Amino acid sequence: MTTSKEMARSKLIHLLQCAHAGELAAYYAYQGHALSLKDQKEREEVSRIQYEEWEHRQCLAKFLLELNAKPQPIREFIFMLIGKTISFLCRIGGWFIPMYGAGKLESGNIEEYVVAAKWAHYSDHPHFIEPLLEMAEVEWDHELYFRQKSESHWMYPFFPKWHIPDERSSIRLRFQSQLEQ
Ligand SMILES: [Fe+2]
Ligand SMILES: [Fe+2]
């Protein structure tokens, strides 16, 4: 394996390990969030998002195995605690704060999968690219859902705004442009 391929592989493993732990935190956070919601439709929508985070985690675990790597136990433990803490806070945080917090966190989740897809390309794992870009698109959907929910609340104008992601279609364009650099 050439040096640049090795470097891409180790960057990819690190990103996948971080995302694997992050998805666990998201899974637990949405578990508490869903339970805190009184509206049945909203509860089902957040439960679906929770399930999608679990699917992401399973996919990441598969990729790590293929790379002969493993999730990092300490990171997993810390993120499990973070997720369970958010889960608990959702139960006492009312309706707006969990929706706002989720939107803000989701806005940061999109790009890590685009970058991971780049390292998958350079480390010669082309079959990882499509699932990683699909995960970025699903995180984009999550951000939109929570942002629209937050915007519907009277408190939204009084809270700082996070960077609104570019159009969904720009995810694949950004991936392509990373390769051309
Ligand atoms: Fe996810
Ligand atoms: Fe998400």
Side-chain angles (χ1 to χ4, degrees):
M1 199 184 276
T2 62
T3 311
S4 63
K5 242 188 209 180
E6 275 171 29
M7 189 200 72
R9 183 179 174 278
S10 71
K11 283 185 183 287
L12 176 62
I13 288 172
H14 178 68
L15 266 181
L16 296 182
Q17 286 169 329
C18 292
H20 188 267
E23 295 289 1
L24 183 64
Y27 175 82
Y28 281 122
Y30 290 135
Q31 192 171 54
H33 192 176
L35 287 171
S36 76
L37 294 164
K38 292 183 185 75
D39 183 281
Q40 184 60 28
K41 185 169 174 286
E42 281 181 346
R43 189 181 270 226
E44 283 169 11
E45 286 164 350
V46 174
S47 291
R48 181 185 48 79
I49 291 172
Q50 180 197 357
Y51 176 70
E52 285 171 347
E53 308 298 18
W54 192 256
E55 283 186 323
H56 289 176
R57 188 170 149 86
Q58 285 179 318
C59 184
L60 296 166
K62 208 174 72 189
F63 290 169
L64 283 170
L65 199 67
E66 199 177 319
L67 289 158
N68 288 322
K70 287 183 180 144
Q72 294 173 307
I74 294 173
R75 189 184 292 274
E76 295 285 319
F77 180 70
I78 291 169
F79 277 79
M80 188 259 296
L81 288 182
I82 292 171
K84 290 203 174 224
T85 303
I86 296 173
S87 174
F88 170 73
L89 293 174
C90 283
R91 310 290 289 275
I92 56 168
W95 185 92
F96 175 72
I97 297 294
M99 290 292 185
Y100 174 87
K104 194 169 163 53
L105 287 174
E106 291 287 358
S107 70
N109 291 342
I110 304 163
E111 221 47 40
E112 70 173 347
Y113 287 125
V114 180
V115 177
K118 176 181 80 171
W119 295 126
H121 170 83
Y122 285 119
S123 65
D124 213 9
H125 293 86
H127 55 298
F128 289 4
I129 294 171
E130 184 55 32
L132 287 167
L133 293 178
E134 280 173 18
M135 283 192 253
E137 287 168 343
V138 170
E139 302 301 359
W140 189 96
D141 296 338
H142 294 172
E143 189 276 341
L144 179 66
Y145 174 79
F146 290 114
R147 176 157 44 89
Q148 286 178 339
K149 287 287 171 188
S150 303
E151 282 170 350
S152 71
H153 196 274
W154 66 268
M155 281 165 76
Y156 184 74
F158 303 102
F159 275 70
K161 308 294 176 290
W162 60 85
H163 172 71
I164 295 175
D166 295 334
E167 284 176 36
R168 200 177 194 267
S169 58
S170 74
I171 289 172
R172 281 159 198 274
L173 295 176
R174 274 205 307 288
F175 167 68
Q176 282 302 332
S177 70
Q178 284 186 131
L179 305 187
E180 285 154 14
Q181 279 168 13

